[in-house]
Amino acid sequence: MYDGAVQDLIDELGHLPGVGPKSAQRIAFHLLAADAADVKRLADAITTVKEKVRFCETCGNVAESEQCRICADPRRAEDLLCVVEEPKDVVVIERTREYRGRYHVLGGAIDPMNGVGPDDLRIRELLARLGDGKVQEVIIATDPNIEGEATATYLTRMLVPMGVTVSRLASGLPVGGDLEYADEVTLGRAFEGRRTVS
């Protein structure tokens, strides 16, 4: 549609998750109109993140050294391990300031429709981490969707025979939500996770 470099930029931006053709075009023209120094800073940030950032050898979170800041923190509880799908999930949980244990990032969820099986995830590494007996409880914090539920079920079957306590994050109705808008799975989870009111 456009000549050379502009179309190449639009095409490359269109490969980013959540960026459709129109958004890619808007971003490309924003970059064309932006100050050259701002665009250079963006390009440098992208290059730097690819050069410096890697995955923590222990948990799989993003890190700039062998271990992420959470695994390197001696104040974190070693007997509590929260299993998440992606590094972005670690950030979400950390924002709550409620969890003081360690993490294990799987690198995705079991998704047979897209060819992702248990061997494609960091499950072997999880089992190896549990081998020393320090971890007493594993909290499974996968997404409450079909893939996340399949992953949680698979992990539960693997972990329970190892003698660790396995728990799953509670799920159900969001605060401020209406019953009429809740899907059946969410409403079912809300009933399963109900508590006695005193």
Side-chain angles (χ1 to χ4, degrees):
M1 203 169 233
Y2 297 96
D3 288 335
V6 174
Q7 188 61 48
D8 291 344
L9 178 59
I10 292 170
D11 291 342
E12 290 305 318
L13 290 169
H15 292 297
L16 296 172
V19 179
K22 288 184 181 179
S23 294
Q25 183 177 323
R26 277 194 296 275
I27 295 168
F29 280 100
H30 170 78
L31 293 172
L32 282 171
D35 185 55
D38 292 339
V39 176
K40 173 126 178 51
R41 274 196 307 277
L42 174 62
D44 289 345
I46 293 170
T47 303
T48 301
V49 81
K50 284 305 289 178
E51 290 171 354
K52 289 187 176 180
V53 177
R54 54 183 154 179
F55 295 102
C56 175
E57 290 181 0
T58 305
C59 73
N61 193 11
V62 290
E64 288 192 23
S65 59
E66 289 181 12
Q67 283 195 321
C68 69
R69 64 175 178 78
I70 295 170
C71 287
D73 186 350
R75 297 170 297 173
R76 301 300 289 231
E78 291 186 0
D79 62 337
L80 199 55
L81 191 66
C82 182
V83 179
V84 297
E85 292 179 21
E86 303 289 345
K88 61 184 169 54
D89 300 327
V90 172
V91 175
V92 173
I93 294 171
E94 283 296 292
R95 272 196 222 127
T96 68
R97 300 183 188 273
E98 294 291 324
Y99 179 70
R100 296 298 305 153
R102 299 182 183 270
Y103 293 92
H104 187 83
V105 180
L106 294 172
I110 295 171
D111 185 3
M113 298 295 285
N114 289 311
V116 180
D119 292 338
D120 299 312
L121 305 176
R122 298 184 69 250
I123 294 174
R124 280 187 299 279
E125 292 85 345
L126 172 62
L127 298 176
R129 287 183 74 182
L130 299 176
D132 63 8
K134 288 182 183 175
V135 176
Q136 299 299 309
E137 181 181 359
V138 175
I139 302 167
I140 300 175
T142 53
D143 290 340
N145 56 25
I146 293 171
E147 295 81 11
E149 292 298 323
T151 306
T153 301
Y154 182 85
L155 290 175
T156 301
R157 285 191 202 139
M158 297 285 289
L159 301 178
V160 168
M162 296 181 75
V164 295
T165 301
V166 179
S167 58
R168 178 96 165 101
L169 284 187
S171 58
L173 297 173
V175 173
D178 293 326
L179 284 178
E180 65 181 301
Y181 299 117
D183 62 274
E184 293 82 13
V185 174
T186 302
L187 199 50
R189 290 287 173 154
F191 272 102
E192 286 175 18
R194 70 188 184 278
R195 293 183 297 193
T196 304
V197 179
S198 52

